[in-house]
Amino acid sequence: GRGRRAQAGEKVMMGAFLAILRRDLALSLGSGGGAGLGVVFFLSVVTVVPFAVGPDLQLLARIGPAILWIGALLASLIGLERLFAADVEDGSLDALTLAALPLELVAAAKGLAHWISTGLPLVVAAPVLALMLNLDPPAIGAVVLTLLVGTPAVTFLGLIGAAFAGAFRRGGLLIAVLVIPLAIPVLIFAVSATTSAVTGPVPFGTPFRVLMGLALFALVLGPVAAAAALRAARG
């Protein structure tokens, strides 16, 4: 009856979601970008800033979380300009629009693939790079935890800029202009949570809960807004 048809429809949608996820992961990891380029950019930012600041280890430890987060934020934007542009150019987006999977879930699958290939390696690399900034173990743990929660928010907010860049054939500058202002609250509460874990006086949980709320908001807003932008461009 209806229950079986609903289950069959759910299986079809889940299969389509996983197929898009695997396809985008393969494209991202096999195109010379993705994890390697993002981590190299992240390493470059973290390496250059201490030369500019100087050899003051206490100052580096104090501003280290902000340096790591700024590097991760900028590295997360790498590759976003091609997230929808390639599908628009070769006609794949039209086929995806006509598929059983809603365009919002298509955007969510592409965003998840981008985070796995670009954002997750940044989280893994962060503890090693944090040692270069003289961060102690509590600060390193807080940075990794905030990156694990906050980088998906940056990626899914980036879907909005990626959709506009792909639909209206604009470059990466449009993504930076649209996404960085949206990501500033994520940056503020992530750095606040890390600072609170080390120096206080505000408990770590207070800004971290706000960060989790922003991440959940971005996970919903990003795919919906990206799908709306793509529909508007096609219409």
Side-chain angles (χ1 to χ4, degrees), residues 71 81 96 139 145 169 192 212 223:
E81 73 275 2
L96 293 173
L145 195 56
R169 287 173 170 74
S192 297
M212 288 192 293

mmCIF file of all heavy atoms in Angstrom, residues 71 81 96 139 145 169 192 212 223:
data_model
loop_
_atom_site.group_PDB
_atom_site.id
_atom_site.type_symbol
_atom_site.label_atom_id
_atom_site.label_comp_id
_atom_site.label_asym_id
_atom_site.label_seq_id
_atom_site.Cartn_x
_atom_site.Cartn_y
_atom_site.Cartn_z
ATOM 1 N N GLY A 71 42.342 31.026 9.104
ATOM 2 C CA GLY A 71 42.893 30.154 8.067
ATOM 3 C C GLY A 71 41.901 29.098 7.621
ATOM 4 O O GLY A 71 41.750 28.829 6.420
ATOM 5 N N GLU A 81 33.592 27.826 -5.798
ATOM 6 C CA GLU A 81 33.112 28.491 -7.012
ATOM 7 C C GLU A 81 32.792 27.500 -8.125
ATOM 8 O O GLU A 81 32.024 27.818 -9.040
ATOM 9 C CB GLU A 81 34.124 29.531 -7.491
ATOM 10 C CG GLU A 81 35.391 28.960 -8.116
ATOM 11 C CD GLU A 81 36.448 28.613 -7.093
ATOM 12 O OE1 GLU A 81 36.170 28.795 -5.875
ATOM 13 O OE2 GLU A 81 37.535 28.162 -7.479
ATOM 14 N N LEU A 96 19.786 16.886 -12.801
ATOM 15 C CA LEU A 96 19.571 16.793 -11.365
ATOM 16 C C LEU A 96 18.248 17.431 -10.955
ATOM 17 O O LEU A 96 17.579 16.956 -10.032
ATOM 18 C CB LEU A 96 20.729 17.469 -10.619
ATOM 19 C CG LEU A 96 22.092 16.789 -10.725
ATOM 20 C CD1 LEU A 96 23.172 17.654 -10.097
ATOM 21 C CD2 LEU A 96 22.059 15.421 -10.051
ATOM 22 N N ALA A 139 43.480 24.280 24.862
ATOM 23 C CA ALA A 139 43.173 25.166 23.740
ATOM 24 C C ALA A 139 43.112 24.384 22.435
ATOM 25 O O ALA A 139 42.238 24.631 21.587
ATOM 26 C CB ALA A 139 44.212 26.279 23.641
ATOM 27 N N LEU A 145 37.384 20.989 18.452
ATOM 28 C CA LEU A 145 35.948 20.805 18.648
ATOM 29 C C LEU A 145 35.145 21.902 17.942
ATOM 30 O O LEU A 145 34.125 21.630 17.304
ATOM 31 C CB LEU A 145 35.632 20.789 20.142
ATOM 32 C CG LEU A 145 34.263 20.259 20.556
ATOM 33 C CD1 LEU A 145 34.035 18.856 20.029
ATOM 34 C CD2 LEU A 145 34.117 20.288 22.072
ATOM 35 N N ARG A 169 27.274 32.844 -13.339
ATOM 36 C CA ARG A 169 28.603 32.827 -13.957
ATOM 37 C C ARG A 169 29.505 33.959 -13.459
ATOM 38 O O ARG A 169 30.049 34.740 -14.224
ATOM 39 C CB ARG A 169 28.474 32.865 -15.487
ATOM 40 C CG ARG A 169 27.979 31.545 -16.055
ATOM 41 C CD ARG A 169 27.682 31.638 -17.527
ATOM 42 N NE ARG A 169 27.431 30.331 -18.105
ATOM 43 C CZ ARG A 169 26.324 29.618 -17.932
ATOM 44 N NH1 ARG A 169 25.366 30.092 -17.166
ATOM 45 N NH2 ARG A 169 26.175 28.433 -18.493
ATOM 46 N N SER A 192 35.432 32.707 20.591
ATOM 47 C CA SER A 192 35.020 32.965 21.977
ATOM 48 C C SER A 192 34.987 31.678 22.790
ATOM 49 O O SER A 192 35.418 31.651 23.954
ATOM 50 C CB SER A 192 33.639 33.628 22.000
ATOM 51 O OG SER A 192 33.665 34.879 21.370
ATOM 52 N N MET A 212 26.820 25.790 17.941
ATOM 53 C CA MET A 212 26.057 24.639 17.456
ATOM 54 C C MET A 212 24.729 25.090 16.852
ATOM 55 O O MET A 212 24.285 24.555 15.828
ATOM 56 C CB MET A 212 25.832 23.638 18.582
ATOM 57 C CG MET A 212 27.071 22.879 18.999
ATOM 58 S SD MET A 212 26.722 21.466 20.088
ATOM 59 C CE MET A 212 26.152 22.336 21.542
ATOM 60 N N PRO A 223 21.291 24.837 1.962
ATOM 61 C CA PRO A 223 20.702 24.125 0.826
ATOM 62 C C PRO A 223 19.426 24.755 0.304
ATOM 63 O O PRO A 223 19.192 24.783 -0.917
ATOM 64 C CB PRO A 223 20.434 22.724 1.401
ATOM 65 C CG PRO A 223 21.393 22.581 2.532
ATOM 66 C CD PRO A 223 21.514 23.951 3.117
#
